[in-house]
Amino acid sequence: MANYQFLEPLQFNNGVTLKNKIVMAPMTTMSSFYNGKITQDELNYFAARAGGPGMIVTSVANVSDNGKGFEGELSVAHDEMLPGLKNLAATIKKDGAKAILQFFNAGRKSTSQVLRGETPVSASAIAAEFPPGLETPRALEQEEVEQIIKDFGAATRRAIQAGFDGVELHGANTYLLQQFYSANSNQRSDEWGGDREKRLRFPLAVIKEVTETIEKYATDPFLLGYRISPEEVETPGIRLEDTLYLAETIKKQVDYIHLSMGSYKRTSLNDETDTTPILKKFAEKIANEILLIGVGSVELPKDAEEMIDGGADLVAIGRELLREPRWVEKVMMGDEASIRTTMSFADMEELGISGAMQTYLKESFGSVMNFTPDGKKAENYQNQAAPMEGFEKKL
């Protein structure tokens, strides 16, 4: 077997042990039923990739009906989703991977069309700048804020009952958790808005609700992760110092922090004079306290090794596991030469990628996925957005 540090087992502080340090990053499949129930297409997609990684994070699921962000999105908002969620957890865990259910409320990053006529909601009635053209959301009322917090707790209970090994709060990609923390989207004057500490109250309340739910329902060690986008490009908006403050604040309340960015080598978007990799900044901030998942542009084993050397405890792989579902197995067998780093649409059935997902990939990420109709490698792949982590192509 190849001698790489990312193939070594890893244990979280709460005792959960992974067979290796590779994480399948959460990637939207656009393949759920209209009501958010899991489909056989999605189960096939995860089954094709379940053999290698030590941990798999699911496509994002909404915790509230008014938190749905796009069509084909998984839901964990109702108990009727439990049978499908149980199938999903079992599929992921069949070869020893740990199954993590990622969930969110999309907030203002939804549309009234997706919400069947309802106006999207957010911390404040301020439209998102990116992508252009999104409608102005409705500011959540106090009781609605409290209900969404409870929805995160209920979603956690369902994840436990379905057999998942943990949950990941999607606090990245400018969804609702991030919207409450950002001065761009949160201009409230009540207890949920104001200075940085007050804007952090909603994410902290969600973490508290989820933690209490885990303590109440989980009989085995259960992971709680939090995904973050390091910066926003809007002004006002979140800057690196704000997200580092967030990491410092929550590091004793969660089991891991998961970065969301297109390259593990990335430096600040807003300060061109800052040449320190963002990964290194977060590694130093939470060193030896909780685990850090790095992500972005890992294709070959040397990239994964470099990410760990750069400060990550775990290596999340997205695009490359789409192109090469058996990436980990091939590395373990010393068969690195056969690792596929490009793909064509002729490969889709073999890769377990459904028709709905194929259309999404082609229309939204065709130029950054290392594929063209003839399978030739796209030239502008590097430094582009990680696919299917939302609708932001600049992160």
Side-chain angles (χ1 to χ4, degrees):
M1 185 175 75
N3 184 25
Y4 290 113
Q5 55 187 329
F6 63 79
L7 293 178
E8 299 170 356
L10 178 142
Q11 187 176 74
F12 288 87
N13 291 338
N14 71 350
V16 172
T17 301
L18 307 184
K19 62 182 180 180
N20 60 54
K21 299 174 183 175
I22 298 297
V23 176
M24 178 171 159
M27 295 180 285
T28 299
T29 65
M30 305 290 282
S31 300
S32 295
F33 285 116
Y34 74 95
N35 59 0
K37 289 187 176 182
I38 195 79
T39 64
Q40 188 61 49
D41 283 341
E42 288 177 286
L43 295 177
N44 294 342
Y45 162 83
F46 281 103
R49 293 160 176 81
M55 187 168 96
I56 293 178
V57 185
T58 69
S59 320
V60 71
N62 61 72
V63 303
S64 316
D65 289 334
N66 69 354
K68 181 178 178 179
F70 45 86
E71 301 295 353
E73 180 180 287
L74 189 64
S75 176
V76 67
H78 303 282
D79 284 349
E80 66 188 66
M81 306 301 173
L82 277 169
L85 292 170
K86 289 179 180 179
N87 287 337
L88 177 57
T91 297
I92 291 173
K93 296 169 67 170
K94 67 184 180 68
D95 292 314
K98 298 300 182 183
I100 307 299
L101 180 63
Q102 187 194 69
F103 46 54
F104 78 157
N105 183 303
R108 70 179 185 177
K109 298 309 290 289
S110 188
T111 68
S112 55
Q113 181 177 3
V114 169
L115 297 177
R116 305 298 188 266
E118 291 190 25
T119 302
V121 297
S122 186
S124 298
I126 301 170
E129 295 180 27
F130 302 103
L134 284 179
E135 57 201 278
T136 300
R138 175 178 62 81
L140 287 161
E141 300 290 342
Q142 169 73 22
E143 59 272 17
E144 292 178 304
V145 175
E146 295 173 353
Q147 181 59 54
I148 290 175
I149 293 169
K150 293 177 182 177
D151 291 343
F152 275 98
T156 303
R157 170 182 57 79
R158 296 181 188 109
I160 294 168
Q161 293 173 337
F164 285 91
D165 300 295
V167 294
E168 180 174 291
L169 300 175
H170 196 346
N173 297 46
T174 69
Y175 294 127
L176 189 65
L177 284 164
Q178 185 174 332
Q179 288 165 32
F180 265 88
Y181 188 47
S182 173
N184 179 272
S185 44
N186 185 351
Q187 298 181 20
R188 300 173 71 101
S189 58
D190 63 2
E191 65 182 289
W192 302 108
D195 60 20
R196 184 167 67 181
E197 286 73 19
K198 291 180 179 178
R199 295 196 307 273
L200 189 54
R201 284 178 175 172
F202 178 74
L204 291 178
V206 170
I207 291 173
K208 181 175 184 291
E209 180 75 17
V210 169
T211 299
E212 291 176 350
T213 304
I214 293 171
E215 292 172 349
K216 181 176 181 179
Y217 290 99
T219 57
D220 297 313
F222 191 86
L223 296 173
L224 170 56
Y226 197 99
R227 194 160 207 210
I228 55 176
S229 292
E231 298 172 282
E232 293 177 338
V233 295
E234 297 88 349
T235 301
I238 293 172
R239 297 297 181 260
L240 270 176
E241 63 181 63
D242 298 313
T243 314
L244 289 166
Y245 175 80
L246 168 64
E248 175 75 22
T249 302
I250 70 172
K251 66 183 181 182
K252 294 183 179 179
Q253 302 175 46
V254 300
D255 296 296
Y256 69 84
I257 289 176
H258 187 176
L259 297 177
S260 177
M261 52 189 187
S263 172
Y264 67 92
K265 299 177 182 179
R266 205 190 87 185
T267 56
S268 175
L269 291 172
N270 294 291
D271 184 358
E272 294 182 355
T273 67
D274 187 348
T275 59
T276 302
I278 289 173
L279 177 64
K280 181 178 180 180
K281 289 179 181 287
F282 280 88
E284 292 174 347
K285 179 62 65 173
I286 64 175
N288 302 317
E289 296 193 62
I290 61 169
L291 300 184
L292 176 66
I293 302 179
V295 70
S297 300
V298 171
E299 289 188 344
L300 299 173
K302 64 179 180 63
D303 302 318
E305 289 291 279
E306 187 173 298
M307 184 186 289
I308 290 179
D309 290 339
D313 299 294
L314 291 155
V315 177
I317 302 179
R319 285 168 289 211
E320 185 52 36
L321 279 173
L322 290 180
R323 297 188 289 258
E324 183 51 82
R326 291 180 54 80
W327 190 92
V328 176
E329 294 94 317
K330 288 186 175 183
V331 173
M332 293 178 67
M333 293 185 297
D335 191 18
E336 297 174 21
S338 71
I339 290 177
R340 179 183 354 215
T341 57
T342 66
M343 66 181 182
S344 72
F345 283 101
D347 301 325
M348 296 294 108
E349 183 175 352
E350 176 190 347
L351 298 176
I353 296 176
S354 69
M357 190 174 178
Q358 291 176 36
T359 300
Y360 179 50
L361 287 171
K362 183 177 180 180
E363 293 180 352
S364 300
F365 301 99
S367 65
V368 298
M369 281 300 300
N370 279 23
F371 67 68
T372 60
D374 61 2
K376 293 180 180 178
K377 185 169 182 176
E379 295 298 324
N380 61 339
Y381 164 60
Q382 296 296 335
N383 299 320
Q384 295 294 323
M388 303 173 300
E389 291 179 340
F391 301 104
E392 296 69 46
K393 296 186 181 181
K394 60 175 66 264
L395 297 179

